[in-house]
Amino acid sequence: MLIPIITNEHCAAIDTLWQLNDKHALGLQLGVERVDNIKINDKILSRYYENYNTPFLAIIKNTPMLIKSADGEVVKSSLNWQSLTHRIVSAGRKSELLLQACKITQQMSVLDGTAGFGHDGLLLASAAARTTLCESHPVMALLLLYEYHLMLAVQNWQGLLGRIQIIHQDSTQLSGEYDCVYLDPMFPKGSYKAKVGKQMQLLHDLAKPPTVDDEEVLFCRAMQQLSATGRLIVKRPIHAPYLAGRTPTQSVQNAAIRFDRYESSCC
């Protein structure tokens, strides 16, 4: 997969992206295109998007950003784990619906099978003994690995990151047994009333919602990866049908999001 990287300077971020792509065998062809002596603005980014018609990367202030353009608006997104510091430190079942649904303890192992930007995975890791973030799309995996590498230099993040492993793979192909498997598959069209957020717009351009058959495989494989007392948690919009049509044991929800819980059993 060819992924252009737009930049106006040579910076450490480019070297790191190349090294991570090679080290983790992501298979991306990273093509650097330099915009010499010109500030990278929305007009330039929009022009590049028209050329590629797919999200690409730009290095802006030494930060890799995923870029797309839609309806004349340029959408830029970085993972920005640093912005989650306070939320992670204060995370608990009273403040985080995800943790309330998962009921994770510090002895549990967790698989986030659809890692995306990694934000939910960080919350899971704040409460678990070890958390595996699995991401099938190579561009998202590259950004996850980059953010992990970046935050390792921040001392008060090292304990949390020491409990996290990032894997580029389809989670249905992953071996292992976990006390909790968490899935946040692409929301089905028409299942949410509000406009999709900017980050999700970018993910929608990179990946498509699972088909009915995909959902069945995703659900069954996740159930098979559970320990004898494990649980599967699936994130859905409040009005979305159950994943693979399977009725959960229990659901925890707010006005917009629902977390469906399934106890360990044979599929």
Side-chain angles (χ1 to χ4, degrees), residues 101-214:
C102 293
K103 294 184 177 179
I104 296 173
T105 67
Q106 292 183 351
Q107 291 73 43
M108 293 173 65
S109 60
V110 179
L111 169 64
D112 181 349
T114 50
F117 288 90
H119 295 176
D120 284 346
L122 292 174
L123 291 174
L124 294 169
S126 73
R130 58 184 177 86
T131 301
T132 300
L133 274 60
C134 188
E135 175 53 49
S136 62
H137 197 285
V139 175
M140 291 310 305
L142 178 63
L143 292 175
L144 283 168
L145 290 163
Y146 178 88
E147 199 72 9
Y148 182 94
H149 171 86
L150 181 70
M151 296 307 294
L152 268 179
V154 181
Q155 187 172 2
N156 61 355
W157 274 71
Q158 292 171 359
L160 174 67
L161 296 180
R163 301 195 295 273
I164 291 176
Q165 179 185 22
I166 298 173
I167 296 176
H168 167 50
Q169 193 171 344
D170 185 328
S171 65
T172 63
Q173 304 299 316
L174 190 64
S175 61
E177 185 177 274
Y178 302 89
D179 298 309
C180 180
V181 175
Y182 172 66
L183 298 176
D184 179 12
M186 193 69 64
F187 289 173
K189 292 182 178 179
S191 62
Y192 38 81
K193 294 183 178 180
K195 184 178 179 181
V196 178
K198 291 184 178 181
Q199 284 191 330
M200 290 308 298
Q201 289 179 36
L202 285 160
L203 282 181
H204 281 199
D205 271 19
L206 289 174
K208 303 299 180 184
T211 65
V212 173
D213 290 342
D214 291 338

Side-chain angles (χ1 to χ4, degrees), residues 7-8 34-38:
T7 182
N8 58 3
R34 301 193 186 280
V35 185
D36 293 331
N37 302 319
I38 299 176

Side-chain angles (χ1 to χ4, degrees), residues 85-104:
T85 300
H86 176 73
R87 185 180 173 190
I88 291 170
V89 169
S90 60
R93 294 185 189 177
K94 291 184 178 180
S95 61
E96 295 292 343
L97 200 64
L98 171 60
L99 297 183
Q100 184 181 336
C102 293
K103 294 184 177 179
I104 296 173

